[in-house]
Structures are given as structure tokens and as C-alpha cells.
Amino acid sequence: DDKLQDKYNQIMVDIMTPVYESLNKWGDNDDEKQKKDTERNDVFRPLLISSMAKYGNKEVVNDILNKFDEFIIKKDSNCNIPDALRSTIYANAMRNSEDDKRYTAMKE
């Protein structure tokens, strides 16, 4: 049942949101100590971002699509996707794309 799935997805997002926010979302505002924390950056952040996208958090999905577009399609040299987040961003950009432009860009 779609309504039940939607409720479940919202519950999961509600549970994960405080943790996602405590990780400073994408880490743009991390201090030096946080930037050196490999568990935070290489394990927990990709896991949370991927899970939030899986359960349909629109903010996270939009951020993923924007980062993918900047990095792959626009080839913006100012956009840097950390290695630990690349597979998360690429996979979720493909999963959440409504057209073939991202898939085509990945093949190039």
C-alpha cells in the first residue's frame, strides 16, 4: 500500500534528520577536527545521505541532483565531491533522474 509506504518513509526521515543535521549535512561547515574524522566523513555521512535519499527526503535528493549536475554535467571546477560521497551521489542521481541527461553524461 502506497500510503503505508509513504508513512514509513516519513518516519525513517524523521528519525534520521537529527543525525543528518548533527553531521552538518554535507560537511560544508565542518571545523578542522570534524574534517579529520574519517568515520564521520567516510562512513556516517554517506550512509545518512544515501538513506535520506532512499526514503525520499526531497532536500537531500535535490542536493544530490544539484551536486551531480555541477560536477558531471557543468564540469564546475569549484564543485568538489569527496571520494566517500561519489558513489552515493552518482547512484542516487541515476535513481532519481526523470530524464536521460544524467545517464548520458555518465557515459561520456
Side-chain angles (χ1 to χ4, degrees):
D1 185 41
D2 288 339
K3 288 182 182 180
L4 182 60
Q5 185 65 49
D6 290 343
K7 287 181 182 182
Y8 176 77
N9 289 351
Q10 188 57 52
I11 290 169
M12 294 303 294
V13 167
D14 290 345
I15 290 169
M16 290 183 287
T17 296
V19 180
Y20 172 67
E21 290 175 353
S22 75
L23 290 173
N24 292 326
K25 300 182 179 183
W26 292 89
D28 297 334
N29 297 318
D30 281 359
D31 61 30
E32 288 306 313
K33 183 180 177 184
Q34 292 168 330
K35 288 179 183 178
K36 292 178 182 176
D37 186 345
T38 55
E39 285 182 352
R40 175 189 186 89
N41 297 314
D42 298 348
V43 178
F44 295 118
R45 185 170 284 128
L47 177 67
L48 261 292
I49 289 172
S50 182
S51 296
M52 294 282 279
K54 174 184 176 180
Y55 293 112
N57 181 280
K58 292 186 187 320
E59 176 188 345
V60 172
V61 170
N62 287 336
D63 287 346
I64 286 171
L65 295 175
N66 289 334
K67 287 182 183 299
F68 182 90
D69 290 350
E70 288 174 18
F71 191 72
I72 298 295
I73 295 176
K74 296 177 185 173
K75 301 187 187 319
D76 184 349
S77 60
N78 294 323
C79 180
N80 181 26
I81 298 174
D83 291 342
L85 290 174
R86 284 194 183 157
S87 63
T88 296
I89 290 174
Y90 294 174
N92 282 290
M94 296 297 108
R95 188 175 298 123
N96 290 288
S97 291
E98 294 180 4
D99 56 36
D100 291 338
K101 76 176 181 180
R102 292 182 181 94
Y103 178 74
T104 303
M106 283 295 293
K107 290 175 65 175
E108 293 176 353

